[in-house]
Amino acid sequence: LNIALSLEQDCKNATIRVYDILGRLQMEIISDTNLSRGEHSFSTNLNKLNNGVYLLITQIDGKYSIDKFANF
């Protein structure tokens, strides 16, 4: 899984997590991380996840983004 973030300003608290469809935390990609303004990319291996549908929840300074993806 590759994640690209483009930040217009510095961020003091960024978290990216993967949850299963039932809302259980499966993976933490970054947690409470400071990020500078600009482009950032993160990648992680999904081999540990079972086949199914997951939610990628990105939190940047209190604002949330939720994306759904399938792992097969």
Side-chain angles (χ1 to χ4, degrees):
L1 178 65
N2 296 311
I3 303 162
L5 294 177
S6 178
L7 301 176
E8 295 179 7
Q9 59 188 19
D10 291 347
C11 166
K12 294 182 181 174
N13 186 7
T15 301
I16 301 174
R17 295 181 176 133
V18 175
Y19 292 85
D20 66 16
I21 202 68
L22 298 176
R24 296 177 296 208
L25 178 64
Q26 298 297 308
M27 181 181 296
E28 194 163 67
I29 298 169
I30 62 170
S31 179
D32 300 324
T33 302
N34 294 331
L35 298 173
S36 60
R37 177 177 76 144
E39 305 294 323
H40 300 271
S41 62
F42 305 93
S43 62
T44 188
N45 190 327
L46 300 178
N47 286 342
K48 294 180 183 178
L49 297 180
N50 293 326
N51 291 346
V53 177
Y54 293 89
L55 302 173
L56 178 72
I57 300 180
T58 305
Q59 182 265 326
I60 305 290
D61 285 340
K63 296 180 183 177
Y64 290 85
S65 171
I66 302 173
D67 296 291
K68 186 168 40 171
F69 70 93
N71 185 45
F72 295 105

